[in-house]
Amino acid sequence: MGLERAFADEPAFVPYLAAGDPDYDASIEYVEALARGGADVIELGLPFSEPIAEGSTIQEAVVRSLDAGMSPDRFFEFVEELDVDVPLVCMTYYNLIYQYGSGQGPEPFVEKAAEVGIEGFVVPDLPAEEAGPLRAACDEYGLDLIFIVAPTTKGDRLASMMDQTSGYVYVQARLGVTGAKDDVDDATEESLARIAEWDVPKAVGFGIKNGDHAERIVSAGADGIIVGSALVDIVAEGHENGDPADEVAARLEQKARELKEGALRGAQNRPQPEGT
Amino acid sequence: MGLERAFADEPAFVPYLAAGDPDYDASIEYVEALARGGADVIELGLPFSEPIAEGSTIQEAVVRSLDAGMSPDRFFEFVEELDVDVPLVCMTYYNLIYQYGSGQGPEPFVEKAAEVGIEGFVVPDLPAEEAGPLRAACDEYGLDLIFIVAPTTKGDRLASMMDQTSGYVYVQARLGVTGAKDDVDDATEESLARIAEWDVPKAVGFGIKNGDHAERIVSAGADGIIVGSALVDIVAEGHENGDPADEVAARLEQKARELKEGALRGAQNRPQPEGT
Amino acid sequence: SKFGDYGGQFVPEALMPAIEELTDAYERYVIDNEDGFMDEFRRRLADFGGRPLPLQRADQLSARYDTEVYLKREDLLHGGAHKLNNALGQVLLAKYMGKERIIAETGAGQHGTATAMAAAHLDMPCEIYMGETDIARQRPNVFRMRINDAEVNPVTTGRGTLKEAISETMRDWATTVETTHYVIGSIVGPAPFPAMVRDFQSVISEEAREQIQEQTGGLPDAVLACAGGGSNTMGAFHHFVPDDDVDLYAVEAGGSSLSVDEEEGVAPNSASLSTGDEGVLHGARTKLLQDSDGQIMESHSVSAGLDYAGVGPELAHLVDEGRVTPVNVDDDTALEAFHRLSQDEGIIPALETAHAFGYLERVAGPATDDRAAEPRDEHHDELGDTVIVNVSGRGDKDLETVIEETQKRDLDIAPDMSIFNEIGGGI
Amino acid sequence: SKFGDYGGQFVPEALMPAIEELTDAYERYVIDNEDGFMDEFRRRLADFGGRPLPLQRADQLSARYDTEVYLKREDLLHGGAHKLNNALGQVLLAKYMGKERIIAETGAGQHGTATAMAAAHLDMPCEIYMGETDIARQRPNVFRMRINDAEVNPVTTGRGTLKEAISETMRDWATTVETTHYVIGSIVGPAPFPAMVRDFQSVISEEAREQIQEQTGGLPDAVLACAGGGSNTMGAFHHFVPDDDVDLYAVEAGGSSLSVDEEEGVAPNSASLSTGDEGVLHGARTKLLQDSDGQIMESHSVSAGLDYAGVGPELAHLVDEGRVTPVNVDDDTALEAFHRLSQDEGIIPALETAHAFGYLERVAGPATDDRAAEPRDEHHDELGDTVIVNVSGRGDKDLETVIEETQKRDLDIAPDMSIFNEIGGGI
């Protein structure tokens, strides 16, 4: 439980890639390029065969990764092999976590993740109501469990999530799944207002494509930005064109830099809070 | 009313052809060939578009004739043009007879038929129950109306038909429609027995293919034989092979001769009635 | 055995004894319920067929036409059309008569499939005659018959369509009358078929008459049914015939035109009640499409099941009497009505059935250029406030035809299907 | 929202408010009949759907198995399968909830067609997601949906089949929850779907339980239903669950084999109750076909409608409790049963349904080499003297598959179709 530290000094840039997309070795290079590009936390997707919460961009990444042989055990090897100095979060679906313990619950998966250096989880199909056992295992091994707050999340549900989330909170900036729309929704400010009193950093995701988007989101009050599809697009395009992995890695690094810089600009623009 | 005369001296040979099969001119030749071959009465089919009582051989003849333009008016021309010295019977379906009078009933058709020299009718879809108007018109113009006695015709129906039939009676030798089976049913004798007291000549049909069949039927007591499919087969085969009409006519004449001679042999074999 | 001057028994002599035997059986079992025949028939119609079937108020159509429109849902009968009412009745009757074998002919295949189902249900061997052209056009129905264990005998004579199949079935029957029953599929053919088939189908109007009274407290102002041979028509009308205030509309297939090509012997419609005249066809005197010689014309309809040159003699009689009003709608109107019922009510009707709805639209629908002269409200004088339409069958069987014919016509109401052209696979 | 340890709500946070709203609506309208919702639902099921549906004694099968076999005739429901019970219920509920739009996913197309029909009937815009591979394989169903005015959205991601269509529908819903209801087609998905779909489908056992008592004076010894997702299964079982003496058999698709190819991630069957183990799929904890990592396996069945890697959580629970017995039959046995029911009873069943009859044959049928050791009479100990089989749907949709799969196998019972190879035309 320490992902908060990545948001402490400046707005955090939190990129996502599906581990093993399009193959194990290239993916190692790509993740390392994101770290070089300024990532503060990296969300690594462990692909599940039924990614019901993903947009088509990430869904296709998941298929590429699975076709190339990714599995939970390979994922843990992947994490161990990574040469990055950035906190890593595992983003996956609950069945993989649950099943790793041969039906005994999430604890064996969390134990193994902690062992290889994972610091937290995002589990898109695990709402707060079903999260008890995973939350307990995370507590046991000192890992964070990050929840997603949607624009539709209101009232009692917010309170219940506030109790359970740690590390940071993933703020879904607008309705829809991980997506590729070009606009940055003005509802970001409103979303942030609803969780203003939460004491975890607020990372905003869904739809951030470039430095300008990043800047506007941070200006609106986000403690960090989460970017997935825009990066996966670069991987997909490189794969389709048969580009060498180092070229694709360079593009990812450059995109990461653009996004991080946008976030930094956003922090400068941010209106000073009144009062405090 | 005089077709009985054709059966008076010796067993009658009654061939059938569809008028106009495969075309008007050839059909004239064919009918005349039958006369030369020894026909005592000729049944000329006036083709109807829905020949429900015919076997497939005659059904196909009907289609050829219709396709070549046969119609009731052409049929009457056909009859007028024929150069034969044999009584002619028109075999057709009731709708053509009925409709010729523009829905006024069968009388106009019968009048026209009488005018061109037709001496009688066989109407396969007109049972005795429905025959009143046609019987009356035939009486008015002096034409015969020939009914078909089936193996299934029994009891009251026989009596009613006996009252109405004139010229000759068409004895269907076995169940089935005009057909092409090779056997001559032994039921012929039984059929004849059922109408033994009728005072019209008994012509037996359905399935007679050759002189031997003809002989056996007459031996069994028939006053005449009716032959259709075996002759239509010759027309069909000639048409399919593109044979010249005169060759086909020669074959028909030969077949007619064979059948007539068979019938004559049959009469010699016939057991002398006891008593009378 | 007559309906006025119509009807009768114009069949080959060899069949007359079978017709007499059938007449006797019809009177004993169907009319007099001997051995509880009708009880068993009704029980099997319920358990096997799914009767009674709903009389459903059509919400969207009622609003559209400002008239209470009720649907008699024969499309829900086992097999997907009213056909089973008759097929089940006749196969059961054949069993009571001690027959050992069932034959039938079929054109579009609906009667064949119903007969095959009924024969399988009652454990009777069954053979269906079908023209080879029709077999190629209607393969799903052919497969259904075979799967129900019926023999399907391809008829190769002539053009290989319904008329040849009828001849071939007659021929079979003429040879096998003693052991075999020929299940005629409509209210046509020699007596007693027209009356018997009507009696089996009259369960439609028997139910509908009770249901409409339960639901509305009164009788309808009009009953609409499509009419080809006329079995669903008379089935839907029969129990309303004595109700003089109930108008009965027999909606025929107007095809592409009501005019006739005598030269080709083709009537591009199947509107024998509207345009035909008296003659003798398939065993009965009735109204039919014929040329001036009396040769039967080739009929036409986009709906294979209406595509017949004759019509039941009882309907011909009721039209002459003025009790039934014959009307017709053309192929285009029927196709539009097919799409309208599918879209507005969630019921995909048979193309036959769609004709009845096409007439409803023509009489009661919103004004169009064609109808500009007739103010909207006038239809109430014609159809009245409450109308029953007989949904004689479902349209799954017609999907291919509808798509093909719709694309030819570019109808406004039709759904856009172009997306599927880009994705492979046959219908 | 749980059935023992099964069930739950494993969905993205964005959907949770919609799930809560639906739970509230389910409790008010379905459970408490607020605003007469259930009355309207039942009225529409009757008028539009054709309920009640018969419980028919199967004469030939009863003789074959020396057991009273009763058929619950869901094949007669409008649309041709039990699917409409649920689709109509959910679309009506969406209307009561003030939703303006319906979405659904479909694999084989049966749920999509039922939803499109219900939406047309209730005048609700409707979009159906369907994988492009499935669109190419199931074109008649695609056309039916379009003809009922539903948009069909081809899903081109992945392999273009059901799983991608489910993801795509979830994605739509996550964006449009405020105005849109997602009609899930079986007793799967997050709570309240499993309970709600079961309630809509439970009309099957409600009717059957009354009918069997009317007809036999007592309860059956066993109820058999095929099980894929399990909606017809729970529908047929629900009201018998408290009757401890009534054995409940869920007949799964054994496919070509019960063994699993972990390497390929393929289970050549869909027998998740028989062979699967606990996991989380599509919003619920249940039994499913997965590899040792927890990745979902590709399932298989000759019947597209059973071809699903999961099963309803309530069924998983009832199996664990010992109340429901999971059994399975393989593709061959199901095909044979398809032909047997078609030939012996005149009912062409869906291939899904045929599995239930395949089990009946295996347990109660005449001795074969495989069964030589089990004497004929023993089945009475197992199934008892009176058995209800749920005929979940009709098989018209399966004709192509059946013919193709039958020809591959050369089954003794299959009708000879070779005659049609000589005559042109596609299916």
Side-chain angles (χ1 to χ4, degrees):
Chain A
M1 313 227 211
L3 287 169
E4 295 90 342
R5 74 182 187 281
F7 298 78
D9 307 323
E10 52 181 40
F13 164 49
V14 184
Y16 164 95
L17 280 182
D21 171 30
D23 59 61
Y24 187 94
D25 293 334
S27 187
I28 292 273
E29 279 194 59
Y30 298 164
V31 175
E32 290 173 354
L34 295 177
R36 284 194 304 277
D40 297 294
V41 174
I42 297 176
E43 291 184 355
L44 277 180
L46 162 57
F48 179 53
S49 54
E50 321 291 313
I52 57 170
E54 318 296 349
S56 55
T57 303
I58 290 177
Q59 190 177 22
E60 297 287 6
V62 161
V63 170
R64 286 192 297 271
S65 171
L66 286 173
D67 285 351
M70 184 47 70
S71 71
D73 283 327
R74 283 288 274 168
F75 178 80
F76 292 131
E77 286 171 33
F78 184 95
V79 172
E80 285 192 304
E81 193 171 329
L82 277 178
D83 182 15
V84 296
D85 190 22
V86 174
L88 299 173
V89 165
C90 170
M91 184 157 177
T92 194
Y93 285 74
Y94 192 56
N95 199 49
L96 295 190
I97 295 173
Y98 183 81
Q99 199 62 21
Y100 197 75
S102 304
Q104 304 305 305
E107 195 260 347
F109 187 90
V110 176
E111 180 182 8
K112 178 70 182 178
E115 185 186 315
V116 299
I118 294 286
E119 297 189 36
F121 296 106
V122 180
V123 188
D125 67 342
L126 191 72
E129 287 81 349
E130 306 283 358
L134 180 58
R135 178 72 265 176
C138 285
D139 288 345
E140 185 181 346
Y141 292 93
L143 268 63
D144 287 315
L145 182 56
I146 296 115
F147 284 86
I148 300 170
V149 171
T152 48
T153 311
K154 280 162 196 167
D156 292 347
R157 296 193 49 72
L158 277 174
S160 142
M161 287 170 71
M162 187 176 73
D163 291 345
Q164 296 202 57
T165 199
S166 69
Y168 58 95
V169 62
Y170 187 147
V171 179
Q172 182 182 337
R174 60 146 200 273
L175 272 188
V177 280
T178 57
K181 293 203 180 162
D182 257 336
D183 65 303
V184 174
D185 201 308
D186 291 339
T188 299
E189 261 184 86
E190 191 203 339
S191 291
L192 290 171
R194 276 188 292 132
I195 56 170
E197 76 274 28
W198 292 25
D199 61 3
V200 289
K202 291 100 185 171
V204 174
F206 285 66
I208 302 171
K209 305 287 274 186
N210 54 39
D212 183 46
H213 293 164
E215 180 180 349
R216 286 164 56 196
I217 294 277
V218 173
S219 298
D223 299 316
I225 54 162
I226 300 173
V227 182
S229 296
L231 302 168
V232 171
D233 278 341
I234 293 172
V235 174
E237 200 183 319
H239 179 64
E240 274 157 32
N241 298 338
D243 297 337
D246 57 349
E247 283 181 24
V248 178
R251 282 178 222 144
L252 285 167
E253 184 178 339
Q254 188 182 11
K255 190 68 174 179
R257 215 173 295 279
E258 173 195 339
L259 290 159
K260 175 67 184 180
E261 285 164 5
L264 291 172
R265 281 197 309 278
Q268 289 159 2
N269 305 344
R270 201 184 296 186
Q272 294 308 310
E274 290 169 33
T276 53
Chain B
M1 315 227 211
L3 287 169
E4 296 88 342
R5 73 181 187 282
F7 298 78
D9 305 325
E10 53 181 39
F13 165 50
V14 185
Y16 164 94
L17 280 182
D21 170 30
D23 61 61
Y24 188 94
D25 293 335
S27 187
I28 293 272
E29 279 195 60
Y30 298 166
V31 174
E32 290 173 355
L34 294 177
R36 285 195 304 277
D40 298 293
V41 175
I42 297 176
E43 292 185 355
L44 276 179
L46 162 56
F48 178 52
S49 54
E50 320 291 315
I52 56 168
E54 316 296 350
S56 55
T57 304
I58 290 177
Q59 190 177 20
E60 296 287 6
V62 160
V63 170
R64 286 192 297 271
S65 171
L66 286 172
D67 285 350
M70 183 48 69
S71 71
D73 284 327
R74 286 287 277 167
F75 178 81
F76 293 130
E77 288 171 32
F78 184 95
V79 171
E80 284 191 304
E81 194 171 331
L82 276 177
D83 183 15
V84 296
D85 191 20
V86 174
L88 298 173
V89 166
C90 169
M91 183 157 178
T92 194
Y93 284 75
Y94 192 56
N95 199 49
L96 296 188
I97 295 173
Y98 183 80
Q99 200 61 21
Y100 197 77
S102 304
Q104 304 306 304
E107 195 261 347
F109 187 92
V110 175
E111 179 181 13
K112 179 68 183 178
E115 186 185 315
V116 300
I118 294 288
E119 298 190 35
F121 296 107
V122 179
V123 188
D125 66 341
L126 192 72
E129 286 81 350
E130 306 283 356
L134 181 59
R135 178 73 265 177
C138 285
D139 288 345
E140 185 180 346
Y141 292 94
L143 269 62
D144 286 314
L145 182 56
I146 296 114
F147 284 86
I148 300 171
V149 172
T152 47
T153 312
K154 281 165 194 166
D156 291 349
R157 298 195 47 75
L158 276 173
S160 144
M161 288 171 68
M162 188 175 74
D163 290 346
Q164 296 202 56
T165 201
S166 69
Y168 58 95
V169 62
Y170 187 148
V171 180
Q172 181 182 336
R174 60 145 200 274
L175 272 188
V177 281
T178 57
K181 293 203 181 163
D182 257 337
D183 64 305
V184 175
D185 201 310
D186 290 339
T188 300
E189 260 185 85
E190 192 203 340
S191 292
L192 291 171
R194 275 186 293 133
I195 56 170
E197 77 272 30
W198 291 26
D199 61 4
V200 290
K202 289 102 183 168
V204 174
F206 285 66
I208 301 172
K209 307 287 273 183
N210 54 39
D212 183 47
H213 293 163
E215 180 180 348
R216 286 164 54 196
I217 294 278
V218 174
S219 298
D223 299 315
I225 54 163
I226 300 173
V227 182
S229 296
L231 301 168
V232 171
D233 277 340
I234 292 172
V235 174
E237 199 182 320
H239 179 64
E240 274 156 34
N241 297 340
D243 296 337
D246 56 349
E247 282 182 21
V248 177
R251 281 177 222 148
L252 284 166
E253 183 177 339
Q254 186 181 11
K255 189 69 174 182
R257 213 173 296 281
E258 174 194 339
L259 291 159
K260 175 69 184 179
E261 284 165 5
L264 291 172
R265 281 198 308 278
Q268 289 161 359
N269 304 345
R270 203 185 294 187
Q272 296 305 312
E274 288 171 34
T276 54
Chain C
S1 75
K2 297 264 167 123
F3 305 94
D5 286 338
Y6 298 103
Q9 299 175 313
F10 296 83
V11 293
E13 174 58 27
L15 295 179
M16 283 302 293
I19 296 283
E20 291 187 328
E21 183 190 354
L22 182 64
T23 303
D24 176 62
Y26 165 56
E27 287 167 358
R28 285 164 45 207
Y29 296 120
V30 180
I31 296 179
D32 298 339
N33 191 27
E34 191 173 310
D35 298 343
F37 171 86
M38 286 301 287
D39 303 326
E40 178 169 357
F41 170 60
R42 281 164 184 278
R43 179 177 66 71
R44 290 189 185 272
L45 264 190
D47 291 351
F48 178 62
R51 303 206 77 93
L53 297 171
L55 182 76
Q56 179 204 338
R57 181 179 185 276
D59 295 344
Q60 327 298 336
L61 293 189
S62 294
R64 179 179 182 87
Y65 299 130
D66 192 18
T67 291
E68 294 296 294
V69 178
Y70 286 86
L71 312 177
K72 182 59 182 165
R73 297 290 305 279
E74 293 299 309
D75 61 306
L76 294 176
L77 191 64
H78 183 47
H82 69 288
K83 290 287 181 189
L84 186 73
N85 295 325
N86 170 48
L88 187 66
Q90 287 198 46
V91 177
L92 189 65
L93 188 63
K95 211 157 176 152
Y96 274 64
M97 291 169 73
K99 299 293 180 188
E100 295 157 13
R101 178 172 170 268
I102 293 297
I103 57 174
E105 95 295 325
T106 197
Q110 292 304 103
H111 174 55
T113 55
T115 304
M117 279 184 159
H121 173 65
L122 293 165
D123 201 19
M124 287 277 267
C126 174
E127 293 182 38
I128 308 288
Y129 289 91
M130 189 169 184
E132 60 177 352
T133 307
D134 287 335
I135 286 179
R137 288 196 284 218
Q138 307 281 350
R139 284 171 82 87
N141 277 338
V142 176
F143 291 133
R144 288 169 76 193
M145 290 182 251
R146 288 294 292 132
I147 281 172
N148 283 139
D149 212 23
E151 295 293 330
V152 178
N153 299 324
V155 177
T156 56
T157 47
R159 288 172 190 84
T161 60
L162 180 60
K163 59 191 280 184
E164 291 84 6
I166 292 174
S167 296
E168 196 71 29
T169 318
M170 288 276 188
R171 201 168 297 151
D172 180 321
W173 203 30
T175 319
T176 59
V177 278
E178 283 148 343
T179 59
T180 299
H181 177 68
Y182 175 10
V183 178
I184 286 185
S186 192
I187 55 164
V188 300
F193 283 104
M196 182 174 71
V197 175
R198 175 208 64 209
D199 287 350
F200 289 137
Q201 292 289 1
S202 69
V203 64
I204 302 173
S205 50
E206 186 183 324
E207 286 177 5
R209 195 171 181 282
E210 277 181 29
Q211 289 165 323
I212 194 79
Q213 290 183 97
E214 272 169 31
Q215 292 182 40
T216 70
L219 291 174
D221 295 302
V223 179
L224 273 64
C226 64
S231 71
N232 98 83
T233 335
M234 274 315 301
F237 290 173
H238 183 66
H239 287 276
F240 292 109
V241 169
D243 301 318
D244 287 338
D245 291 341
V246 179
D247 293 335
L248 307 175
Y249 292 90
V251 186
E252 295 192 292
S256 57
S257 162
L258 287 185
S259 67
V260 154
D261 184 344
E262 276 247 358
E263 188 73 25
E264 291 290 316
V266 174
N269 62 69
S270 306
S272 35
L273 288 172
S274 309
T275 72
D277 51 12
E278 201 186 329
V280 173
L281 176 65
H282 293 147
R285 188 192 307 274
T286 186
K287 288 183 187 288
L288 41 100
L289 301 177
Q290 55 189 331
D291 66 17
S292 57
D293 287 340
Q295 303 287 7
I296 308 308
M297 303 248 230
E298 263 189 71
S299 57
H300 163 80
S301 168
V302 70
S303 157
L306 296 182
D307 195 350
Y308 180 62
V311 66
E314 185 172 13
L315 269 176
H317 173 63
L318 290 172
V319 164
D320 281 3
E321 296 274 289
R323 182 66 192 92
V324 167
T325 307
V327 295
N328 60 79
V329 299
D330 64 15
D331 291 345
D332 290 10
T333 306
L335 279 164
E336 282 171 5
F338 174 96
H339 289 298
R340 188 173 301 107
L341 193 69
S342 301
Q343 292 172 24
D344 289 357
E345 296 289 349
I347 297 168
I348 302 177
L351 268 175
E352 291 83 349
T353 307
H355 284 74
F357 290 95
Y359 183 70
L360 191 61
E361 173 74 11
R362 203 173 70 206
V363 180
T368 64
D369 289 350
D370 290 351
R371 282 192 296 265
E374 312 166 34
R376 175 77 197 283
D377 282 344
E378 272 190 15
H379 83 268
H380 283 296
D381 298 341
E382 201 157 347
L383 290 183
D385 297 321
T386 307
V387 176
I388 293 177
V389 186
N390 192 34
V391 185
S392 56
R394 63 171 137 93
D396 302 45
K397 69 184 179 64
D398 290 320
L399 291 180
E400 288 192 54
T401 305
V402 165
I403 288 162
E404 194 179 308
E405 297 288 334
T406 300
Q407 281 176 340
K408 271 188 212 165
R409 284 172 170 83
D410 200 23
L411 306 174
D412 284 347
I413 193 178
D416 181 13
M417 293 282 184
S418 58
I419 173 179
F420 305 114
N421 299 337
E422 294 147 33
I423 294 169
I427 283 183
Chain D
S1 71
K2 298 263 166 121
F3 305 94
D5 287 338
Y6 297 103
Q9 299 176 314
F10 296 84
V11 294
E13 175 58 28
L15 295 178
M16 283 303 294
I19 295 284
E20 290 187 330
E21 184 190 354
L22 183 64
T23 302
D24 177 61
Y26 166 55
E27 286 167 1
R28 286 164 47 208
Y29 296 120
V30 181
I31 295 179
D32 298 338
N33 191 29
E34 192 174 309
D35 298 345
F37 171 86
M38 285 301 287
D39 303 327
E40 179 170 355
F41 170 59
R42 280 162 185 281
R43 179 178 65 70
R44 290 189 185 272
L45 264 190
D47 290 353
F48 178 63
R51 305 207 73 95
L53 298 172
L55 182 76
Q56 178 204 337
R57 182 178 184 277
D59 294 345
Q60 326 300 334
L61 293 190
S62 295
R64 178 178 182 87
Y65 300 129
D66 191 19
T67 291
E68 294 298 294
V69 178
Y70 286 85
L71 311 178
K72 182 59 183 165
R73 297 292 304 279
E74 294 299 308
D75 62 305
L76 294 174
L77 190 66
H78 182 46
H82 69 289
K83 290 287 183 190
L84 187 72
N85 295 325
N86 169 48
L88 187 65
Q90 287 197 48
V91 177
L92 189 64
L93 188 64
K95 212 159 175 150
Y96 275 63
M97 291 169 73
K99 300 292 179 189
E100 295 158 13
R101 177 171 170 269
I102 293 298
I103 56 174
E105 96 296 326
T106 197
Q110 292 304 103
H111 174 55
T113 55
T115 304
M117 281 184 157
H121 173 65
L122 292 166
D123 202 19
M124 287 278 266
C126 174
E127 294 183 37
I128 307 288
Y129 289 91
M130 189 169 182
E132 62 177 353
T133 306
D134 287 336
I135 287 178
R137 287 196 285 217
Q138 308 281 350
R139 283 170 84 87
N141 277 338
V142 176
F143 292 133
R144 289 170 75 193
M145 290 182 250
R146 288 294 292 132
I147 282 171
N148 282 138
D149 211 23
E151 295 293 330
V152 178
N153 299 324
V155 177
T156 57
T157 47
R159 289 173 188 83
T161 59
L162 178 60
K163 57 190 282 181
E164 291 83 8
I166 292 174
S167 295
E168 197 71 30
T169 317
M170 287 277 187
R171 201 169 296 152
D172 180 320
W173 203 30
T175 318
T176 60
V177 278
E178 281 147 345
T179 59
T180 298
H181 177 69
Y182 175 10
V183 178
I184 287 185
S186 191
I187 54 163
V188 300
F193 282 104
M196 182 174 72
V197 176
R198 175 208 62 209
D199 287 351
F200 290 139
Q201 291 290 1
S202 69
V203 63
I204 302 172
S205 49
E206 186 182 325
E207 287 177 6
R209 195 170 180 283
E210 277 181 29
Q211 290 165 323
I212 194 78
Q213 290 183 95
E214 272 169 30
Q215 292 182 40
T216 70
L219 292 173
D221 295 301
V223 179
L224 272 63
C226 65
S231 72
N232 99 82
T233 333
M234 273 315 302
F237 290 173
H238 182 66
H239 288 276
F240 290 110
V241 169
D243 301 318
D244 287 337
D245 290 342
V246 179
D247 293 333
L248 307 174
Y249 292 89
V251 186
E252 297 192 289
S256 57
S257 162
L258 287 186
S259 65
V260 154
D261 185 343
E262 275 247 357
E263 188 73 24
E264 290 291 316
V266 174
N269 61 70
S270 306
S272 35
L273 287 174
S274 309
T275 71
D277 51 10
E278 201 186 331
V280 173
L281 176 66
H282 294 145
R285 189 192 305 272
T286 185
K287 288 182 188 285
L288 41 100
L289 301 177
Q290 54 190 333
D291 65 17
S292 56
D293 287 340
Q295 302 288 7
I296 308 307
M297 304 249 233
E298 265 190 68
S299 57
H300 163 80
S301 168
V302 70
S303 156
L306 296 183
D307 195 349
Y308 180 61
V311 66
E314 185 172 10
L315 268 177
H317 174 63
L318 290 172
V319 164
D320 281 1
E321 296 274 288
R323 183 66 193 91
V324 167
T325 307
V327 295
N328 61 80
V329 300
D330 64 16
D331 291 346
D332 290 10
T333 306
L335 280 163
E336 282 171 5
F338 174 96
H339 289 298
R340 187 172 302 109
L341 193 70
S342 301
Q343 293 174 23
D344 288 357
E345 296 290 347
I347 298 169
I348 301 177
L351 268 176
E352 291 83 349
T353 308
H355 284 73
F357 289 96
Y359 183 69
L360 191 60
E361 173 73 10
R362 203 175 67 204
V363 179
T368 65
D369 290 349
D370 290 350
R371 282 191 297 265
E374 313 166 33
R376 176 76 197 284
D377 282 342
E378 273 189 15
H379 83 270
H380 281 297
D381 297 340
E382 200 157 349
L383 291 182
D385 297 321
T386 307
V387 176
I388 293 177
V389 186
N390 192 34
V391 185
S392 56
R394 63 170 136 93
D396 302 46
K397 67 183 180 65
D398 291 319
L399 290 180
E400 290 192 53
T401 305
V402 165
I403 288 161
E404 194 178 307
E405 296 288 334
T406 299
Q407 281 176 339
K408 272 187 211 165
R409 284 174 171 82
D410 199 23
L411 306 173
D412 283 349
I413 194 177
D416 181 12
M417 293 284 183
S418 59
I419 174 179
F420 305 113
N421 298 337
E422 292 147 33
I423 295 168
I427 284 183

